[in-house]
Amino acid sequence: MSNNTFYSELPRALQNILEQGQTGSPPPLARRAFLKMVGAGGLAIGAFPHVLMAQDAKGAAAPALKPDQQPSAFVHIAPSGEVTVTINRLEFGQGVQTGLPMILAEELDADWSLVRSGNGSNDVAYQDPVFGMHLTGGSTSIKHSYTQYRELGARARAMLMSAAAERWKVDVASVRTQAGTVLGPEGRKATYGELAEAAMALPVPEKVELKDPKAFRIIGQATTRIDAKAKSSGKQDFGIDMNLPGQLTAVVAHPPVFGGKLASMDEAAARAVKGVKAVLRVPVDGGGQGVTVIADGYWQAKQGRDALKLQWDTASVEKVDSEKQLAQYRELAEKPGPRLYEADMSPLASAPHKLDAEFFFPYLAHAPMEPLNCTVQVTDSGAQLWVGTQMPGFDAVAAARVLGFKPEQIQVNVQTAGGGFGRRGVGTSDFVVLACEVAKAAKTAGVNAPIRTLWSREDDIKGGYYRPVHLHRARIGFDDKGKVLAWDHALVGQSIVAGTPLESMIKNGIDATATEGMRDPYPLPMQLTVHHPKVNVPVLWWRSVGSTHTAFVMETLIDEIARATKQDPVAYRMALFGDKSPRHKAALQLAVERSGYGKTTLPEGHAWGVAVHESFSSVVAYVVEASVQDGKPVLHRATAGVHCNLAVNPRSVEAQVQGAAIMGLSMCLPGAAITLKDGQVQQSNFGDFSVPRITDAPEIAVHIVPSAEPPTGMGEPGLPALAPAFANAIASLTGKPLRNLPFKLG
């Protein structure tokens, strides 16, 4: 099952939960926001009455537009002409605060210098228009909202033109727009700001004509991000910066082993810390127990937590040991299990060439630069949350369950986040639920204040969620020309949806997130057996999900077959692609041409490495230059060829690929692993969980295959192919394939 199939199954898995109140029961934002917008000195295009029903010329009811099709929830035009576009996603570094406004502004024909962006909420209007739920994930933001935001802009533009035509008593066909201004006959002119009030009173058109892409003047242009200045100057506010009147801060002491219970607590020293307001027991993720310290600020809360004297009961929970886990996974790989592919394996025994390989991938932490946080304010009638979350509607349902409210009584104010890589989109809503448990306990104890619950980086690395451990075992038979005759493959790793509300997504015993990226697009006769052991370690998607390991396995093994049969790795891949994978071929060819592969003479001791992989409907190929220095692999250059169809903002695509490449490099570095001993995570921060430093970063060039087709995802596809390309370069130098991450030479 491809990752695209996996994400298409997501709405079904969440249907029961969403029907409890998320989809449709919250009052539409347009009704609430309308008065706020008027009070702020501007008007939303398409007032709330038109959300429910548009009228045709005879007054009959026209088909209603959905809330996510209404400009009123997305476009706010101030009298000055400034246009604020609300985004229906979490901005956490991927550039949607610019990309989505670019799309809408194109069809609105706005003056780009006056375009701003704002964050959305758990309002029904901000659901993904394809999934029908709130989600930032799967590299779907631009892909799924491209047509939606174009139509939103076109509807708002049509209403502005109609308002101008009514004002001037002319046929609407005689007016046009230009960069935030409506132009009419005889030199008439009116700015969008002047027309917004009249336009918002008009019906919202159901059908609009969109621009020919050849006429685009904003989409496709390399554009500096709207938030670039604020972020580079330190003025950008993130969720961690919330500072409400009377706000308190909480930290939580988690059990040292997942699921552990609190045996005893001496809190006297903690309560004696100046600024500490409360010390309370709270349930924590996975059925465990913890202790929260609530104080005036983070430092006081942390000092109070450090002063606690706690005894833990971990006798009844599994204590994972990384060395033992590897042995257990090896045993599982040899056993029968559910199968995704069922090719004939009989040619394996008589194949002229055989290749046996085992791969191992450790747990990985997400480690975003902004640690997890969530601010909760509880009243008698409901609650407000301020949080950087990838699934605000889903988290609202979880918050309502904890706090004893209905989902429509929860308002989630989405905050800009400082990274996440999947950690802010959790099936259990763990950090949001924890913040609500803290707020609930505080209110019960008589502490009536908004409370910001903070995780330190150590808290999350030692007690968060992780990319699962995976073990792959491959037995391959091929002929002298490199034709694969049989490929017997076993994959062992925890399911990231098992035990969560998304568990129904497991089909025939196989979690599709673990197998995405296996086999395709190569026409290989594969038998794929999958095992999902249950382990007492919480796991979650990590940027590019299953492709973090499947791409490495597939691309290093393809390279190994090419080397064994003395074929150029690029030519071998091109032959395998044939005529069925034109986007793969185009991306790889572009990377080859721009890198100088096969034409440029590399310095002595340097070698080329190649890999190409599709994830989230986009293809990224790398040609890298690497060497081994002082026994350590060094990546010098990486040239990327990208096929993502139309690049809305080429500058953001470049930044996404560069960031993803560095994150892909992070998997290769010594120390890039989460390990456990006696059930406890042994790493705690960047001192013992490695991430690339500036001295590790290679020169990265990004080239995009031209296309006018609707855009595909780019948040994650730049990651998977980097590590195998690097590994293939090192294998070319040493003659020994690299089969584990992080790399180990010798």
Side-chain angles (χ1 to χ4, degrees):
M1 184 183 293
S2 70
N3 50 44
N4 297 323
T5 304
F6 161 66
Y7 282 105
S8 71
E9 293 289 330
L10 192 55
R12 297 181 188 179
L14 291 172
Q15 185 175 2
N16 292 336
I17 297 169
L18 301 179
E19 285 177 351
Q20 295 173 10
Q22 182 187 346
T23 57
S25 55
L29 172 125
R31 176 158 50 186
R32 292 197 304 267
F34 175 68
L35 293 177
K36 295 180 182 179
M37 291 176 175
V38 173
L43 288 164
I45 295 297
F48 173 68
H50 302 288
V51 172
L52 300 179
M53 185 178 295
Q55 301 290 324
D56 64 16
K58 297 179 181 179
L65 293 170
K66 297 177 181 179
D68 62 17
Q69 298 172 312
Q70 295 291 336
S72 56
F74 296 87
V75 187
H76 170 226
I77 301 178
S80 64
E82 184 173 277
V83 177
T84 299
V85 178
T86 301
I87 62 172
N88 60 353
R89 312 287 173 162
L90 170 67
E91 170 63 75
F92 55 153
Q94 78 277 40
V96 290
Q97 276 186 337
T98 303
L100 291 173
M102 286 176 68
I103 297 168
L104 192 149
E106 180 68 72
E107 295 289 349
L108 180 62
D109 204 6
D111 178 348
W112 179 251
S113 68
L114 296 177
V115 175
R116 309 291 181 263
S117 67
N119 294 320
S121 67
N122 62 315
D123 190 278
V124 66
Y126 304 125
Q127 292 176 341
D128 182 297
V130 176
F131 289 157
M133 60 169 287
H134 298 86
L135 176 69
T136 305
S139 301
T140 57
S141 295
I142 298 294
K143 177 184 176 184
H144 283 185
S145 285
Y146 178 66
T147 299
Q148 175 196 14
Y149 270 65
R150 289 185 70 189
E151 290 181 347
L152 288 166
R155 289 191 177 101
R157 175 175 172 268
M159 295 164 72
L160 289 161
M161 292 172 65
S162 294
E166 287 190 12
R167 174 181 291 190
W168 297 329
K169 308 301 180 185
V170 300
D171 190 328
V172 71
S174 68
V175 304
R176 61 187 177 89
T177 60
Q178 180 179 311
T181 303
V182 181
L183 305 175
E186 301 176 1
R188 292 183 176 93
K189 181 187 297 186
T191 67
Y192 285 179
E194 294 169 336
L195 294 167
E197 182 176 0
M200 73 89 183
L202 298 175
V204 180
E206 180 187 359
K207 295 182 179 180
V208 286
E209 184 177 346
L210 301 179
K211 285 184 179 181
D212 185 325
K214 294 178 182 177
F216 287 166
R217 62 181 182 84
I218 297 175
I219 292 176
Q221 299 301 310
T223 303
T224 299
R225 292 187 183 184
I226 288 174
D227 55 356
K229 184 175 181 180
K231 286 182 175 177
S232 60
S233 63
K235 295 180 180 179
Q236 175 69 54
D237 283 332
F238 298 89
I240 201 170
D241 298 314
M242 280 305 302
N243 188 19
L244 300 172
Q247 175 181 296
L248 299 175
T249 296
V251 298
V252 176
H254 294 260
V257 178
F258 299 110
K261 309 288 186 181
L262 188 64
S264 66
M265 173 175 67
D266 182 347
E267 61 195 81
R271 290 187 177 277
V273 174
K274 185 178 180 181
V276 169
K277 303 298 183 184
V279 179
L280 305 166
R281 300 185 183 216
V282 290
V284 297
D285 188 63
Q289 295 175 334
V291 180
T292 183
V293 178
I294 303 171
D296 290 332
Y298 174 75
W299 183 242
Q300 297 95 320
K302 182 182 182 301
Q303 284 184 309
R305 184 178 65 176
D306 292 346
L308 289 170
K309 296 178 181 178
L310 306 175
Q311 296 292 325
W312 300 97
D313 178 6
T314 62
S316 61
V317 294
E318 178 192 7
K319 298 179 179 63
V320 178
D321 182 281
S322 292
E323 292 185 7
K324 294 178 181 178
Q325 186 180 28
L326 173 58
Q328 293 165 352
Y329 277 27
R330 282 174 170 160
E331 290 180 7
L332 271 176
E334 300 298 329
K335 295 181 178 181
R339 285 180 178 163
L340 181 59
Y341 305 128
E342 288 274 10
D344 178 19
M345 292 294 104
S346 59
L348 186 59
S350 58
H353 302 278
K354 294 184 177 66
L355 192 163
D356 286 4
E358 178 187 279
F359 295 82
F360 181 76
F361 304 88
Y363 288 115
L364 292 176
H366 299 78
M369 290 306 295
E370 180 201 17
L372 299 173
N373 59 87
C374 178
T375 301
V376 181
Q377 185 168 31
V378 182
T379 66
D380 292 338
S381 59
Q384 285 201 69
L385 279 62
W386 290 264
V387 58
T389 170
Q390 295 174 245
M391 300 194 296
F394 191 63
D395 289 342
V397 174
R401 188 167 54 247
V402 172
L403 297 172
F405 293 119
K406 296 178 180 179
E408 57 264 35
Q409 294 175 283
I410 306 293
Q411 180 172 332
V412 179
N413 305 291
V414 178
Q415 305 297 296
T416 299
F421 317 116
R423 184 63 180 93
R424 301 182 194 273
V426 193
T428 60
S429 299
D430 74 310
F431 68 100
V432 173
V433 166
L434 180 62
C436 291
E437 291 285 6
V438 170
K440 178 182 177 181
K443 190 170 181 62
T444 301
V447 180
N448 295 304
I451 298 178
R452 178 185 59 161
T453 299
L454 291 182
W455 296 52
S456 66
R457 184 165 292 109
E458 290 87 350
D459 291 340
D460 196 31
I461 288 180
K462 290 192 76 68
Y465 278 63
Y466 309 94
R467 195 284 305 271
V469 163
H470 286 96
L471 182 135
H472 287 247
R473 188 224 63 210
R475 295 188 176 104
I476 306 169
F478 54 97
D479 65 16
D480 293 338
K481 295 182 178 180
K483 180 181 179 181
V484 174
L485 305 175
W487 187 315
D488 186 10
H489 201 100
L491 188 162
V492 184
Q494 288 168 261
S495 163
I496 63 175
V497 299
T500 78
L502 310 180
E503 191 163 23
S504 63
M505 297 175 67
I506 298 176
K507 305 296 183 183
N508 301 318
I510 297 175
D511 180 348
T513 66
T515 60
E516 60 189 21
M518 286 301 299
R519 191 186 67 177
D520 300 331
Y522 301 113
L524 302 171
M526 180 180 288
Q527 175 177 276
L528 178 57
T529 304
V530 182
H531 296 276
H532 294 309
K534 294 184 178 180
V535 183
N536 186 31
V537 177
V539 292
L540 182 66
W541 29 58
W542 192 90
R543 191 176 187 178
S544 79
V545 198
S547 292
T548 61
H549 54 98
T550 61
F552 189 86
V553 170
M554 292 302 304
E555 287 301 296
T556 56
L557 287 173
I558 289 293
D559 229 64
E560 195 166 345
I561 295 170
R563 287 195 304 273
T565 53
K566 296 180 170 52
Q567 298 185 65
D568 176 80
V570 172
Y572 181 58
R573 285 175 172 82
M574 290 294 190
L576 287 175
F577 292 149
D579 297 327
K580 295 183 179 180
S581 303
R583 297 174 78 229
H584 291 76
K585 294 178 75 170
L588 180 55
Q589 189 60 47
L590 182 59
V592 167
E593 291 174 356
R594 296 303 180 93
S595 67
Y597 177 91
K599 298 177 182 178
T600 302
T601 301
L602 296 180
E604 185 177 354
H606 289 218
W608 298 109
V610 175
V612 57
H613 187 76
E614 178 183 2
S615 57
F616 310 98
S617 303
S618 292
V619 182
V620 176
Y622 284 109
V623 176
V624 307
E625 177 188 339
S627 69
V628 177
Q629 298 180 5
D630 299 324
K632 297 180 180 179
V634 177
L635 185 62
H636 299 283
R637 286 195 303 139
T639 303
V642 178
H643 202 315
C644 58
N645 290 354
L646 173 65
V648 169
N649 185 358
R651 190 164 293 165
S652 277
V653 171
E654 179 184 28
Q656 282 288 70
V657 174
Q658 290 173 335
I662 294 298
M663 196 165 179
L665 174 62
S666 75
M667 299 193 298
C668 307
L669 301 178
I674 293 294
T675 57
L676 292 97
K677 186 72 174 177
D678 296 326
Q680 299 187 34
V681 173
Q682 295 178 289
Q683 292 73 31
S684 64
N685 208 322
F686 294 144
D688 47 19
F689 179 69
S690 296
V691 295
R693 268 61 174 181
I694 194 169
T695 51
D696 300 308
E699 176 186 335
I700 304 172
V702 180
H703 305 282
I704 303 169
V705 177
S707 174
E709 295 297 312
T712 50
M714 274 314 301
E716 299 162 273
L719 188 148
L722 190 283
F726 189 10
N728 288 337
I730 301 303
S732 178
L733 287 170
T734 64
K736 296 180 181 179
L738 291 168
R739 301 250 171 88
N740 298 315
L741 289 176
F743 291 165
K744 295 179 182 178
L745 299 185

